[in-house]
Amino acid sequence: MSAENITAAQGKKIDWTRWIAMFTGLGLFFIVYYSPPWPDAVDPMGKHFPLTQQGKGALAVFLLAGTWWVFEVIPIGVTSLLIGVTQALFMIRPAKVAFKDFMDPSVLFIFASLVIGMVFTKTGLTKRIAYKMLEIIGEKTTTIYLGVFILITALTLIMAHTAVAATMYPLLLAIYSLYGEGDKPTKFGKGLFIGMAYVCGAGSIITLLGAARGIVALGFFKEMVGVDTSFFELTYYMFPVGILMVALLWVFFLIFFKPEKKVIPGLRERVAELSANLGPITKKEILALIIIFGAITVMSLQVMVPSLQKLDKTAIILISTILFFVVRILDIEDLELIPWNIVLLFSGAMSIGFCLWETEAAKWLAVNWLAMFKEAHWLVFVIGIAFFVMLMTNFIMNVAAIAISLPVALVISGYLGVSPYVVMYASLVTAGMPFLLLVGAAPNAIAYDSKQFTSGEFFLYGIPASVILMAVIALATLVIWPILGMPILVPKTM
């Protein structure tokens, strides 16, 4: 056989993993969708929750999309299109409803966040910030990890974690360019970008400014329990948990993603030279900063200023996108550079999330799962709630995951004598850290655009990271929160 034929034969090598994953996903879909009716879920009060054919269909789409996303059978954005198509073709939800979710305000928020990241890169702000940070941190790669994680955590105290990821992403690209490996995936590259995603989640639980989930959960908690939780009370209980998680993640990345190089030789001198070459800050950089931080300031103040709460955060951040084009920081060619694969990924995530919610398939899952713990030890029950929220938030909006599980969990908590505070805070912690799937949070998807890792790698490394998360929940419940004065056990109500 000639060399040309050998090369051609090698090029046609069958990707068995891809084909097995493809048919596994399809098999799961058809088995679940066409299976006989499933038993009702029954909560501790004896209330029945039936699973309709549409609900069964939602679970089928859930399994199909999850399998294809993890193994990247086709581009992840195209898998998202399949979510809408299957809902429409199998009459799980009307096409008008299924595809309407693809333009949900949350998707447009992510779009606007990606545009902010693009502006940081195009104006040169990214390099300017990165070089200044590296001058302080130094040449050791382990210290660079730590410096990046601290900066991300600090930003999530005052900014939504999606905006933080969009801001940090181009900065990390600039840092990685100095590592000397080009665009080639490395352990250091994986650690930087997966680390960005994980730490954005860990930092975002500390204050109400880190993500919308906290505001919604506290409102929901007030309605059900009759207790109003303040901004500072939440931070009081969440700060030690968030900081501990960030510290453990740093150790995690030093173990699993130990950089190939201990130092980047001559980094300080190189960075000083590159920083000097940038010259003084330009008018476009100043203008971009004013627009970006103007939007961030308004969104941050919404938590504390009632009159601003009426404004939609997506509309606010989209104003920044429009202004970038008005002042000509961006032009029409820049629209072609938007990572539409990531936008479509989140479009599909919103669609399957709403599908599980509206068909009540998610509620059926929650009742079945949490009802198993009605006779369990109280700590097992708390871990069980946190684990369920963690799994659900990898597929659907974390706010929805909390809203689905909290009502059932609070009923069972009274039966076991567990304080509702523990239930809420444990749920909020895991809702902020979906470490398994890219669709779990916008920072995950933004990090994926670096091409440093596959969705399968993200899933695999997310397993030990999630184990660490559950261990932190147990530690917080048994040690940290009791020391801080949180009530853990209360008289049983049943």
Side-chain angles (χ1 to χ4, degrees), residues 216-229 410 424:
V216 175
L218 292 188
F220 192 64
F221 187 73
K222 181 181 179 181
E223 183 179 334
M224 294 194 64
V225 182
V227 177
D228 195 4
T229 306
L410 289 172
M424 181 188 71

Side-chain angles (χ1 to χ4, degrees), residues 68-69 72 74-80 341-342 344-345 438 448 455:
W68 283 27
W69 269 330
E72 293 187 81
I74 54 178
I76 54 179
V78 181
T79 295
S80 291
N341 190 41
I342 303 304
L344 279 174
L345 168 67
L438 298 176
Y448 174 78
S455 58

Side-chain angles (χ1 to χ4, degrees), residues 127-128 131-132 135 270-280:
K127 291 180 178 179
R128 195 177 295 278
Y131 297 158
K132 291 296 180 185
E135 283 182 24
R270 177 65 177 151
V271 162
E273 180 185 340
L274 291 170
S275 183
N277 291 340
L278 289 175

Side-chain angles (χ1 to χ4, degrees), residues 12 32 34 92 95 124 153 179 200 229 303 340 351 376-377 418 484 491:
K12 294 179 181 179
V32 171
Y34 288 109
I92 298 167
T153 305
Y179 192 59
C200 274
T229 306
V303 178
W340 295 106
S351 186
H377 185 273
V418 178
L484 296 177

Side-chain angles (χ1 to χ4, degrees), residues 256-376:
F256 286 92
F257 299 99
K258 185 177 181 181
E260 294 85 352
K261 304 174 184 177
K262 290 185 178 180
V263 296
I264 305 177
L267 178 66
R268 267 208 171 96
E269 293 77 8
R270 177 65 177 151
V271 162
E273 180 185 340
L274 291 170
S275 183
N277 291 340
L278 289 175
I281 191 168
T282 65
K283 289 182 180 179
K284 281 194 173 182
E285 287 176 281
I286 295 172
L287 197 54
L289 285 174
I290 291 172
I291 294 171
I292 293 167
F293 285 104
I296 291 169
T297 300
V298 174
M299 288 188 290
S300 299
L301 290 174
Q302 281 186 299
V303 178
M304 295 172 282
V305 182
S307 59
L308 293 176
Q309 291 173 5
K310 298 177 182 178
L311 300 177
D312 182 79
K313 69 178 186 300
T314 300
I316 295 169
I317 198 169
L318 280 173
I319 288 175
S320 67
T321 299
I322 296 167
L323 288 175
F324 292 142
F325 287 92
V326 169
V327 300
R328 297 192 173 178
I329 292 175
L330 298 179
D331 52 43
I332 187 65
E333 286 78 15
D334 293 309
L335 282 178
E336 299 175 7
L337 302 177
I338 298 289
W340 295 106
N341 190 41
I342 303 304
V343 176
L344 279 174
L345 168 67
F346 258 84
S347 298
M350 296 303 296
S351 186
I352 187 58
F354 281 119
C355 184
L356 288 164
W357 172 269
E358 292 173 7
T359 62
E360 297 196 336
K363 187 178 290 185
W364 181 88
L365 283 173
V367 173
N368 266 322
W369 175 261
L370 294 175
M372 291 192 300
F373 299 96
K374 63 183 179 182
E375 301 292 342

